[in-house]
Coordinates of all heavy atoms in Angstrom, one line a residue:
L14 N 3.1 -18.3 3.2 CA 2.2 -19.2 3.9 C 1.3 -18.6 4.9 O 0.1 -18.9 4.9 CB 3.1 -20.3 4.5 CG 3.9 -21.2 3.6 CD1 4.8 -22.1 4.4 CD2 2.9 -22.0 2.7
T15 N 1.8 -17.7 5.7 CA 0.9 -17.1 6.7 C -0.1 -16.2 6.1 O -1.2 -16.1 6.6 CB 1.7 -16.4 7.8 OG1 2.6 -15.4 7.2 CG2 2.6 -17.3 8.6
T16 N 0.2 -15.5 5.0 CA -0.7 -14.6 4.3 C -1.8 -15.5 3.6 O -2.9 -15.2 3.7 CB 0.0 -13.7 3.4 OG1 0.9 -12.9 4.2 CG2 -0.9 -12.8 2.6
A17 N -1.3 -16.5 2.9 CA -2.2 -17.3 2.1 C -3.2 -18.0 3.0 O -4.3 -18.4 2.6 CB -1.4 -18.4 1.3
A18 N -2.9 -18.2 4.3 CA -3.9 -18.9 5.2 C -5.2 -18.1 5.3 O -6.2 -18.7 5.6 CB -3.2 -19.0 6.6
F19 N -5.2 -16.8 5.1 CA -6.4 -16.0 5.2 C -7.3 -16.1 4.0 O -8.5 -15.8 4.0 CB -6.1 -14.6 5.5 CG -5.6 -14.3 6.9 CD1 -4.2 -14.2 7.1 CD2 -6.4 -14.3 7.9 CE1 -3.7 -14.0 8.4 CE2 -6.0 -14.1 9.2 CZ -4.6 -14.0 9.4
I20 N -6.7 -16.5 2.8 CA -7.5 -16.5 1.6 C -8.7 -17.4 1.6 O -9.8 -17.0 1.2 CB -6.6 -16.8 0.4 CG1 -5.5 -15.6 0.3 CG2 -7.3 -17.0 -0.9 CD1 -4.4 -15.8 -0.7
P21 N -8.6 -18.6 2.0 CA -9.8 -19.5 2.1 C -11.0 -18.9 2.9 O -12.1 -19.0 2.5 CB -9.3 -20.8 2.6 CG -7.9 -20.8 2.4 CD -7.4 -19.4 2.5
Q22 N -10.7 -18.3 4.0 CA -11.7 -17.7 4.8 C -12.4 -16.5 4.2 O -13.6 -16.4 4.2 CB -11.2 -17.3 6.2 CG -12.3 -16.8 7.2 CD -13.3 -17.9 7.5 OE1 -12.9 -19.0 8.0 NE2 -14.5 -17.7 7.2
V23 N -11.6 -15.7 3.6 CA -12.1 -14.5 2.8 C -13.0 -15.0 1.7 O -14.1 -14.5 1.5 CB -11.0 -13.6 2.3 CG1 -11.5 -12.5 1.4 CG2 -10.2 -13.0 3.5
Y24 N -12.5 -16.0 0.9 CA -13.3 -16.5 -0.2 C -14.6 -17.1 0.3 O -15.7 -16.9 -0.3 CB -12.5 -17.5 -1.0 CG -13.2 -18.1 -2.1 CD1 -13.5 -17.4 -3.3 CD2 -13.7 -19.4 -2.1 CE1 -14.2 -17.9 -4.3 CE2 -14.5 -19.9 -3.1 CZ -14.7 -19.2 -4.2 OH -15.4 -19.7 -5.3
K25 N -14.5 -18.0 1.3 CA -15.7 -18.6 1.8 C -16.8 -17.6 2.3 O -18.0 -17.7 2.1 CB -15.4 -19.6 3.0 CG -16.5 -20.3 3.5 CD -16.0 -21.3 4.6 CE -17.1 -22.2 5.1 NZ -18.0 -21.8 6.1
T26 N -16.3 -16.6 3.0 CA -17.2 -15.6 3.6 C -17.8 -14.8 2.4 O -19.0 -14.5 2.4 CB -16.4 -14.6 4.5 OG1 -15.8 -15.4 5.6 CG2 -17.3 -13.6 5.1
W27 N -17.0 -14.4 1.4 CA -17.6 -13.7 0.3 C -18.6 -14.5 -0.5 O -19.6 -14.0 -0.9 CB -16.4 -13.3 -0.6 CG -16.8 -12.6 -1.9 CD1 -17.3 -11.4 -2.0 CD2 -16.8 -13.2 -3.2 NE1 -17.6 -11.1 -3.4 CE2 -17.3 -12.3 -4.1 CE3 -16.4 -14.5 -3.7 CZ2 -17.5 -12.5 -5.4 CZ3 -16.6 -14.7 -5.0 CH2 -17.1 -13.8 -5.9
K28 N -18.3 -15.8 -0.7 CA -19.1 -16.7 -1.5 C -20.5 -16.9 -0.7 O -21.5 -16.9 -1.4 CB -18.4 -18.0 -1.7 CG -19.2 -19.0 -2.6 CD -18.3 -20.2 -2.8 CE -19.1 -21.2 -3.6 NZ -18.5 -22.5 -3.7
E29 N -20.4 -17.2 0.6 CA -21.6 -17.5 1.3 C -22.3 -16.3 1.9 O -23.5 -16.4 2.3 CB -21.2 -18.5 2.5 CG -20.8 -19.8 2.0 CD -20.4 -20.8 3.1 OE1 -20.5 -20.4 4.3 OE2 -19.9 -21.9 2.7
K30 N -21.7 -15.2 1.9 CA -22.3 -13.9 2.4 C -22.7 -14.1 3.8 O -23.8 -13.6 4.2 CB -23.4 -13.5 1.5 CG -23.1 -13.4 0.0 CD -22.5 -12.1 -0.3 CE -22.4 -11.8 -1.8 NZ -21.2 -12.3 -2.4
S31 N -22.0 -14.9 4.6 CA -22.3 -15.1 6.0 C -21.1 -14.9 6.9 O -20.1 -15.5 6.6 CB -22.9 -16.6 6.1 OG -23.0 -16.9 7.5
T32 N -21.3 -14.2 7.9 CA -20.2 -14.0 8.9 C -20.6 -14.2 10.3 O -20.0 -13.8 11.3 CB -19.7 -12.5 8.8 OG1 -20.8 -11.6 9.1 CG2 -19.1 -12.2 7.5
K33 N -21.7 -15.0 10.5 CA -22.3 -15.3 11.8 C -21.3 -16.0 12.7 O -21.3 -15.7 13.9 CB -23.6 -16.0 11.7 CG -23.5 -17.5 11.3 CD -24.8 -18.1 11.3 CE -24.7 -19.6 10.9 NZ -24.6 -20.5 12.0
D34 N -20.4 -16.7 12.2 CA -19.4 -17.4 13.1 C -18.0 -16.7 13.1 O -17.1 -17.3 13.6 CB -19.2 -18.9 12.6 CG -20.5 -19.7 12.7 OD1 -21.2 -19.5 13.7 OD2 -20.7 -20.6 11.9
I35 N -18.0 -15.5 12.6 CA -16.7 -14.8 12.6 C -16.7 -13.8 13.7 O -17.7 -13.0 13.9 CB -16.6 -14.0 11.2 CG1 -16.6 -14.9 10.0 CG2 -15.4 -13.1 11.2 CD1 -15.5 -15.8 9.9
S36 N -15.6 -13.7 14.4 CA -15.5 -12.8 15.5 C -14.9 -11.5 15.0 O -13.7 -11.4 14.6 CB -14.5 -13.4 16.6 OG -14.2 -12.4 17.5
L37 N -15.7 -10.4 15.1 CA -15.2 -9.1 14.7 C -14.0 -8.6 15.6 O -13.1 -8.1 15.0 CB -16.3 -8.1 14.8 CG -16.0 -6.6 14.3 CD1 -15.5 -6.6 12.9 CD2 -17.2 -5.7 14.5
S38 N -14.1 -8.9 16.9 CA -13.0 -8.4 17.7 C -11.7 -9.1 17.4 O -10.6 -8.5 17.4 CB -13.4 -8.6 19.2 OG -13.7 -9.9 19.5
M39 N -11.8 -10.4 17.1 CA -10.6 -11.1 16.7 C -9.9 -10.5 15.5 O -8.7 -10.3 15.4 CB -10.9 -12.6 16.5 CG -9.6 -13.5 16.4 SD -8.9 -13.7 14.7 CE -10.2 -14.6 13.8
Y40 N -10.8 -10.3 14.5 CA -10.2 -9.7 13.2 C -9.7 -8.3 13.4 O -8.8 -7.8 12.8 CB -11.3 -9.8 12.1 CG -11.2 -11.1 11.4 CD1 -12.1 -12.2 11.8 CD2 -10.3 -11.4 10.4 CE1 -12.0 -13.4 11.3 CE2 -10.2 -12.7 9.8 CZ -11.1 -13.7 10.2 OH -11.0 -14.9 9.7
A41 N -10.4 -7.5 14.3 CA -9.9 -6.1 14.6 C -8.5 -6.2 15.3 O -7.7 -5.4 14.9 CB -10.9 -5.4 15.5
V42 N -8.4 -7.1 16.2 CA -7.1 -7.2 16.9 C -6.0 -7.7 15.9 O -4.9 -7.1 15.9 CB -7.2 -8.1 18.1 CG1 -5.8 -8.5 18.7 CG2 -8.1 -7.5 19.2
L43 N -6.3 -8.7 15.1 CA -5.4 -9.2 14.1 C -5.0 -8.1 13.1 O -3.8 -8.0 12.7 CB -6.0 -10.3 13.4 CG -5.2 -11.5 12.9 CD1 -4.3 -12.0 14.0 CD2 -6.0 -12.6 12.3
L44 N -6.0 -7.3 12.7 CA -5.7 -6.2 11.8 C -4.8 -5.1 12.4 O -3.8 -4.7 11.8 CB -7.0 -5.5 11.3 CG -6.8 -4.3 10.4 CD1 -6.1 -4.6 9.2 CD2 -8.2 -3.7 10.1
T45 N -5.0 -4.8 13.7 CA -4.1 -3.9 14.4 C -2.7 -4.5 14.5 O -1.7 -3.7 14.2 CB -4.7 -3.6 15.8 OG1 -6.0 -3.1 15.7 CG2 -3.8 -2.6 16.6
G46 N -2.6 -5.7 14.8 CA -1.3 -6.4 14.8 C -0.6 -6.4 13.5 O 0.6 -6.1 13.4
S47 N -1.3 -6.6 12.4 CA -0.8 -6.6 11.1 C -0.3 -5.3 10.7 O 0.8 -5.1 10.1 CB -1.8 -7.1 10.1 OG -1.3 -7.2 8.8
L48 N -1.0 -4.2 11.0 CA -0.6 -2.9 10.7 C 0.7 -2.5 11.5 O 1.5 -1.8 11.0 CB -1.7 -1.9 11.0 CG -2.9 -2.0 10.0 CD1 -4.1 -1.1 10.5 CD2 -2.6 -1.7 8.6
L49 N 0.8 -3.0 12.8 CA 2.0 -2.7 13.5 C 3.2 -3.5 12.9 O 4.3 -2.9 12.9 CB 1.8 -3.1 15.0 CG 0.8 -2.2 15.8 CD1 0.5 -2.8 17.2 CD2 1.4 -0.8 15.9
W50 N 2.9 -4.7 12.5 CA 4.0 -5.5 11.8 C 4.4 -4.7 10.5 O 5.6 -4.7 10.2 CB 3.5 -6.9 11.5 CG 3.8 -7.9 12.5 CD1 2.9 -8.5 13.3 CD2 5.1 -8.4 13.0 NE1 3.5 -9.4 14.2 CE2 4.9 -9.3 14.0 CE3 6.4 -8.1 12.6 CZ2 5.9 -10.0 14.6 CZ3 7.4 -8.8 13.2 CH2 7.2 -9.7 14.2
L51 N 3.5 -4.2 9.8 CA 3.8 -3.5 8.6 C 4.6 -2.2 8.9 O 5.6 -2.0 8.2 CB 2.5 -3.0 7.9 CG 2.6 -2.2 6.6 CD1 3.3 -3.0 5.5 CD2 1.2 -1.9 6.1
T52 N 4.3 -1.5 9.9 CA 5.1 -0.4 10.4 C 6.5 -0.8 10.7 O 7.5 -0.2 10.3 CB 4.4 0.3 11.6 OG1 3.1 0.7 11.2 CG2 5.2 1.5 12.0

Side-chain angles (χ1 to χ4, degrees):
L14 293 174
T15 56
T16 299
F19 288 100
I20 294 171
Q22 185 64 59
V23 172
Y24 177 74
K25 182 178 189 274
T26 302
W27 174 74
K28 184 178 174 189
E29 295 179 1
K30 309 278 191 265
S31 173
T32 59
K33 70 179 181 94
D34 295 326
I35 302 291
S36 167
L37 180 59
S38 59
M39 190 272 295
Y40 276 93
V42 170
L43 213 51
L44 177 57
T45 302
S47 183
L48 293 172
L49 290 172
W50 271 113
L51 180 59
T52 302

